[in-house]
Amino acid sequence: MSGVSNRAAQSQRALMGVRDLIVSGELRAGTRLSELILVERLGISRTPLRAALAQLGQEGLVEAIPSGGYAVRSFSREEVIDAIELRGTLEGLALRLAAERGVAPARMGELTRLLEGIDEALKGDVADMDFDGYVDLNAAFHEKLWGLASQTIRREIERVTSLPFASPSAFLDKQANVEAFRRSLYGAQTQHRAMVEAIALREGSRAEALAREHARLARQNLEFVLDQDRSLIRRVPALSLVVG
Amino acid sequence: MSGVSNRAAQSQRALMGVRDLIVSGELRAGTRLSELILVERLGISRTPLRAALAQLGQEGLVEAIPSGGYAVRSFSREEVIDAIELRGTLEGLALRLAAERGVAPARMGELTRLLEGIDEALKGDVADMDFDGYVDLNAAFHEKLWGLASQTIRREIERVTSLPFASPSAFLDKQANVEAFRRSLYGAQTQHRAMVEAIALREGSRAEALAREHARLARQNLEFVLDQDRSLIRRVPALSLVVG
DNA sequence: AAAATACCACCTGTATACAGAAATCAAGAG
DNA sequence: CTCTTGATTTCTGTATACAGGTGGTATTTT
């Protein structure tokens, strides 16, 4: 058996199952989530399903219907932008506090090592970079950054980034290997390096500003997809929930 | 019958009941929350109780035990400070965006009217101010401020402030009518006025900085309680969960 | 033909039964 | 006396039965 615990296995399955149905676009924004249908579709009972729906309600992916039950939430462009801004602000807070309070050398070393890995993935030009490698390393780097914050703050970051289009990997899905996105990675890595340097130098305000600006890359990519090439919507998780 | 809907009445009762047991200090930090005991105590069944526990887990007031179930969470001084810093940061984000994007005159009028009400409550000197009136108006003012933000951001603010000691009213509980706190209210109202002015003048950065500084009043009050007069711990909701 | 009403099917919220795992306690061995 | 081991008790996670309410549809009435 794998190392994963069996505790609350059905609940986890329900959570992942419903989330997948939503972000894959199979359930469109506004559609009511009938418990009985989902139960039959996922092969579980109502109890863990209801737990999953409540959790997704907390995450913001579904919203409660006044008369009972839940519906897939829809997001306006402004709300997506605010979610990205929110992530940048929270990451900025995490980095500012880390810079002001100091970080153990071992952790700085881990961050530096990830930076070197990303450099390696970006070696070569736009055509033959290791995009998939970047995706994984970028996710690991951001998670390591979040680990610099206290549990209280880390929890909020993780909740906000549970909205798929607000995550730092939102436009780095392996399905979205597009030149327009690949080109932005060099600038992103420059910001990565600057953020780590700012923390090392205890420059809290700079670290905060950099984190905010870094998140705005996601906003740029969002606006590119919505305004320049809407065919990419299908390639970015949950972007089908955005109206307008 | 009152206007309140009966929808999910038991769930609401469970949520409020358990939350009360925790913030009142009746359940100490670290104690396991036995479902059967709580069920008997609150006179409900396990289903709505479990929903309440899951919600409180999201709010951060209880934490999941790896082997199953939940326990009352304990907070270090640093975590409480971070929660306050987090609120200030989120309110700062809300105010910055409101200032940058503009606010309808009607809403600004409502804010101004609340400010005048607070002025009225503060009329007179420290001894005979209308403390209870201030408490209510201050809560209303902050909620009106949150209403300036989009749903995405407002949701996060509301979640963070569900931690009782992180709320703007944390040290303004009617139980905590103490001169040390009353004296801080004049400075707080000055900041209230400056925040509204900054929004009106579209000074986003100033509005953000003011919101952060305003939240630090709560931090000052926290440190006063913990370092100067620990007897006040009982008077501030949920402060009994803070260790150290 | 349009509107109102009554009926029916479905759905959610709640309670409870059941099974497997965890914790506790006791007894026995070293 | 301590540690280990085994059994019992208790707990959580899951499934399902039940009741009240909501929404939709069809029929009737104007």
Side-chain angles (χ1 to χ4, degrees), chain B residues 108-153:
Chain B
M108 294 302 293
E110 294 172 5
L111 284 170
T112 305
R113 223 165 306 130
L114 281 169
L115 285 180
E116 289 164 359
I118 296 179
D119 273 338
E120 190 68 21
L122 287 182
K123 204 172 54 184
D125 76 350
V126 184
D128 58 19
M129 65 169 59
D130 177 8
F131 183 78
D132 287 6
Y134 182 96
V135 171
D136 292 337
L137 286 168
N138 179 69
F141 177 76
H142 278 265
E143 272 170 36
K144 191 73 72 185
L145 281 181
W146 303 340
L148 300 179
S150 69
Q151 185 187 149
T152 310
I153 291 171

Side-chain angles (χ1 to χ4, degrees), chain A residues 7 55 57-58 60 67-68 82 85-86 89-90 93 96 101 150-152 155-156 159 208 212, chain B residues 7 55 57-58 60 67-68 73 82 85-86 89-90 93 96 101 150-151 155-156 159 208 212:
Chain A
R7 202 106 193 131
Q55 161 106 19
Q58 289 297 311
S67 63
D82 278 8
E85 198 80 17
L86 183 55
T89 301
L90 291 175
L93 173 63
R96 173 172 71 81
R101 297 172 182 176
S150 70
Q151 187 187 146
T152 310
R155 284 173 62 94
E156 291 310 307
R159 186 192 327 285
E208 180 175 24
R212 290 191 186 187
Chain B
R7 204 108 191 124
Q55 162 107 19
Q58 290 297 312
S67 63
R73 185 172 157 201
D82 279 8
E85 197 80 17
L86 184 55
T89 301
L90 291 175
L93 172 63
R96 173 172 72 82
R101 297 171 181 175
S150 69
Q151 185 187 149
R155 284 172 64 94
E156 291 309 307
R159 186 194 324 286
E208 179 175 24
R212 290 190 186 188

Side-chain angles (χ1 to χ4, degrees), chain A residues 26-188:
Chain A
E26 207 156 338
L27 296 173
R28 289 209 196 145
T31 58
R32 190 195 193 99
L33 293 160
S34 163
E35 297 180 0
L36 294 176
I37 292 176
L38 290 173
V39 155
E40 191 184 10
R41 206 155 172 182
L42 300 175
I44 54 179
S45 80
R46 282 185 62 211
T47 303
L49 175 76
R50 283 177 62 80
L53 290 179
Q55 161 106 19
L56 290 173
Q58 289 297 311
E59 292 182 4
L61 214 56
V62 308
E63 62 188 346
I65 299 174
S67 63
Y70 293 90
V72 179
R73 186 171 156 201
S74 72
F75 296 85
S76 69
R77 171 198 290 248
E78 286 72 26
E79 282 171 326
V80 177
I81 288 176
D82 278 8
I84 293 171
E85 198 80 17
L86 183 55
R87 168 170 68 89
T89 301
L90 291 175
E91 287 184 332
L93 173 63
L95 264 56
R96 173 172 71 81
L97 293 180
E100 289 173 354
R101 297 172 182 176
V103 175
R107 288 188 151 184
M108 293 304 292
E110 294 172 5
L111 284 169
T112 306
R113 220 165 310 132
L114 282 169
L115 285 180
E116 289 163 359
I118 297 179
D119 273 337
E120 190 67 21
L122 289 182
K123 206 172 51 183
D125 77 349
V126 183
D128 58 20
M129 65 168 59
D130 177 10
F131 183 78
D132 288 5
Y134 182 96
V135 172
D136 293 337
L137 286 167
N138 180 68
F141 177 76
H142 278 264
E143 273 170 36
K144 191 74 74 183
L145 281 181
W146 302 341
L148 299 178
S150 70
Q151 187 187 146
T152 310
I153 292 171
R154 192 164 58 243
R155 284 173 62 94
E156 291 310 307
I157 295 179
E158 275 161 8
R159 186 192 327 285
V160 168
T161 54
S162 73
L163 291 180
F165 40 71
S167 146
S169 310
F171 298 88
L172 297 181
D173 194 276
K174 290 170 183 169
Q175 302 296 317
N177 185 343
V178 179
E179 186 176 338
F181 296 163
R182 282 207 306 264
R183 231 180 294 129
S184 69
L185 302 187
Y186 298 101

Side-chain angles (χ1 to χ4, degrees), chain A residues 23-24 175 225 230-240:
Chain A
V23 304
S24 71
Q175 302 296 317
V225 169
R230 297 185 70 89
S231 73
L232 292 177
I233 287 182
R234 293 173 303 137
R235 304 229 209 156
V236 178
L239 222 49
S240 60

